[in-house]
Amino acid sequence: MASRTRAALTTIAGKTVGPVGYGLLSLTVPWAPIEFPTAIKLMKTALENGANFWDGGTHYGTPERNSLHLVRAYFEQYPEDADKVVLSIKGAFTLKDGPDNSPEGIRASVEESIKVLPPSIKPIDIFQCSRVDAKVPIETTIQTLAELVKEGKIRSVGVSEVNANTLRRAHAVHPISAAEIELSLFTTDPLHNGVLDTCHELGIPVVAYSPVGRGFLSGQIRKPDDLPENDFRRMLPRFQPENFDQNIKLVEAVSKIAEAKGVTTAQVAIGWVIKHGGIPIPGSTKEARILENTKPAELTDGDLDEIQKILDTIPVSGQRYGGEQEKLLNG
């Protein structure tokens, strides 16, 4: 099991980041679009509260309105912030076709990215393929990205949803600046499958997406009908009626710890990720939630032991994504 590693501030792509970042997915989802002026205000709030690691993707939104368009709009308004932010972009992937990590696919994704977001406005600090492509050796993928670094089109190379062996093979080709994985009280696999241990051994920062269990640990979801009718989470296994009642038990147990500490459930969840060496990247569309998320709970070893007892006795029910998307995880 991965050791507990308290990560306060971490250096990524030559900049100090942490302990909490900001995920841009929630600002560009097609089913609940937020106007860019509102999104920009939220991003400014995140940055002003220390969340200077921003995570986006070419598939976060539509080809005409995704993370890159939003980031461009932000830095056109606040050019002085460009050097303050570490920008990580995932690409070479579509929800329809999955990953294309061929040299041609990667280059096409990067070229489109810098067309939308020119380096003169904001360079892409980290580019990573959103998922491992089983048809392409990881060495080929990383070598292509390394060439793009040399060409000045991206600043560094990251990986996403990789297993420990793939991570080692990737790092042997070119230094990996960050490994993005799902890590939360709802997804503790990296503590046991060697990914966290490998990251710590190789000195690779861990970026943890969905740190509040896709909203489960926000404390705002008590029953399936609390999700909007068009919310994509209604399609995810863990939110299905046959799994929901079991999973809410975990939330309720963690909530008791939060109440005793005088913090929120989300702050405990985010603090837990930090304590295990991850940089959580919660996303939010509300200013109050950003202010909450950027003030994680300080957890003691006693707190961690209590949380572990909960995890041992209340198993999570349901896969992360289910279907074809589940097959692309931990590649």
Side-chain angles (χ1 to χ4, degrees), residues 59-298:
H59 58 289
Y60 287 179
T62 66
E64 299 76 29
R65 187 186 185 278
N66 58 38
S67 296
L68 295 159
H69 298 87
L70 174 58
V71 170
R72 175 171 181 158
Y74 180 92
F75 288 114
E76 286 178 336
Q77 183 169 338
Y78 296 110
E80 67 275 14
D81 288 347
D83 288 338
K84 302 175 185 176
V85 171
V86 173
L87 178 64
S88 177
I89 295 293
K90 293 186 292 294
F93 178 89
T94 67
L95 294 175
K96 178 183 177 182
D97 299 321
D100 178 4
N101 296 357
S102 66
E104 297 78 13
I106 292 172
R107 284 188 170 275
S109 186
V110 170
E111 291 292 348
E112 179 61 25
S113 296
I114 62 178
K115 178 181 177 182
V116 175
L117 180 65
S120 59
I121 295 176
K122 171 59 185 174
I124 295 173
D125 295 295
I126 305 170
F127 189 93
Q128 53 191 302
C129 295
S130 184
R131 294 290 186 269
V132 173
D133 188 342
K135 303 184 299 295
V136 181
I138 192 65
E139 289 82 1
T140 301
T141 296
I142 301 303
Q143 182 58 44
T144 302
L145 291 168
E147 292 169 1
L148 288 163
V149 171
K150 290 181 180 179
E151 294 167 17
K153 294 181 177 178
I154 58 175
R155 284 184 165 173
S156 67
V157 177
V159 292
S160 176
E161 279 294 348
V162 298
N163 61 42
N165 180 56
T166 301
L167 180 59
R168 289 185 184 280
R169 289 167 56 196
H171 193 65
V173 176
H174 184 86
I176 300 301
S177 291
E180 184 173 334
I181 57 174
E182 184 170 354
L183 176 64
S184 75
L185 294 172
F186 268 81
T187 302
T188 61
D189 311 56
L191 276 63
H192 312 285
N193 62 17
V195 172
L196 271 186
D197 286 332
T198 301
C199 284
H200 296 333
E201 175 193 336
L202 298 177
I204 299 172
V206 176
V207 176
Y209 74 88
S210 297
V212 292
R214 291 186 173 80
F216 249 128
L217 292 155
S218 69
Q220 305 301 306
I221 302 172
R222 311 303 300 179
K223 56 185 184 301
D225 286 344
D226 288 337
L227 296 173
E229 288 189 9
N230 60 351
D231 196 303
F232 89 104
R233 288 173 292 182
R234 284 181 174 267
M235 299 182 291
L236 298 179
R238 291 177 178 174
F239 291 87
Q240 300 306 307
E242 63 270 21
N243 297 319
F244 192 95
D245 289 346
Q246 169 66 21
N247 292 333
I248 203 68
K249 293 177 183 177
L250 175 59
V251 178
E252 291 169 347
V254 176
S255 296
K256 292 178 181 178
I257 295 177
E259 184 177 354
K261 293 183 70 68
V263 296
T264 68
T265 309
Q267 287 170 325
V268 169
I270 292 171
W272 181 89
V273 171
I274 293 171
K275 197 72 171 177
H276 283 87
I279 301 169
I281 49 170
S284 180
T285 60
K286 295 180 175 62
E287 182 179 41
R289 303 291 297 179
I290 292 173
L291 297 176
E292 174 187 347
N293 292 341
T294 51
K295 296 176 177 61
E298 292 283 349

